[in-house]
Amino acid sequence: MNRRAFIALVPSIALSGCLTRLGLADRVEIARKSVRLQPSETADPIDAAVRRYDSDERAYYDGEIHDALADEIGADEPLVLSDALVTDLQREFESVEYRIRACETGAEDDCRRTTLVREDFNELEVGDVADLVFRSSGGLVSVHERREERD
């Protein structure tokens, strides 16, 4: 192989290495969003708010919203966390996780769970369709299509 051919090939090799590590994006519908809090004094995490979506019931909270979030999130509002709320949660709890359950579009039984950074978590609402790269350290997301009506 001559030098020019090798130099032209290096960026392709580097790019394919990154794509291999990241995996391919899946087009998914966001079926569930939840905030998981880990108290420092117990081993049991708390699902502080769980928001689900199904085509019949639309978006709804499954169970009660934990006291730590109840004053900030209304029962009919999307699950979005402000900077001030997150600061308070991080002071009170050992860890705060922003979790989603995403299903391949048109396939309710092909679902995966992952955590997101708060900005991506806030951008998504249950029922949205997004392109998601699943990684062991958390997901990378790009919103593809939003539901037209927000509950």
Side-chain angles (χ1 to χ4, degrees):
M1 177 181 288
N2 70 31
R3 184 175 171 202
R4 281 191 191 147
F6 178 74
I7 290 172
L9 186 60
V10 169
S12 298
I13 293 169
L15 181 59
S16 70
C18 289
L19 292 175
T20 300
R21 276 191 309 241
L22 293 175
L24 299 173
D26 294 315
R27 182 139 302 161
V28 295
E29 182 176 28
I30 308 306
R32 180 180 190 254
K33 284 178 67 171
S34 63
V35 176
R36 179 166 276 194
L37 306 173
Q38 179 65 54
S40 53
E41 67 276 356
T42 66
D44 296 330
I46 300 165
D47 284 327
V50 177
R51 190 152 170 89
R52 295 181 185 268
Y53 179 82
D54 76 34
S55 56
D56 295 331
E57 295 185 44
R58 304 270 183 228
Y60 64 96
Y61 283 96
D62 187 3
E64 303 240 347
I65 297 174
H66 187 270
D67 292 342
L69 302 175
D71 291 340
E72 299 289 327
I73 299 171
D76 295 327
E77 296 175 356
L79 181 52
V80 174
L81 300 153
S82 68
D83 291 339
L85 175 58
V86 169
T87 300
D88 291 344
L89 292 173
Q90 289 173 334
R91 270 191 229 122
E92 185 177 347
F93 297 94
E94 188 173 310
S95 69
V96 180
E97 289 183 349
Y98 314 103
R99 307 176 99 190
I100 63 165
R101 181 173 185 257
C103 303
E104 292 226 11
T105 53
E108 290 182 26
D109 59 341
D110 191 8
C111 301
R112 295 175 70 180
R113 291 178 177 85
T114 192
T115 58
L116 299 175
V117 295
R118 184 175 55 96
E119 292 77 13
D120 288 342
F121 180 84
N122 281 345
E123 186 177 343
L124 289 172
E125 171 60 329
V126 292
D128 285 350
V129 174
D131 294 327
L132 187 65
V133 176
F134 289 94
R135 302 182 315 167
S136 60
S137 63
L140 297 174
V141 68
S142 169
V143 176
H144 172 70
E145 175 183 322
R146 295 194 183 284
R147 282 187 307 112
E148 289 193 21
E149 48 181 82
R150 297 279 179 150
D151 297 333

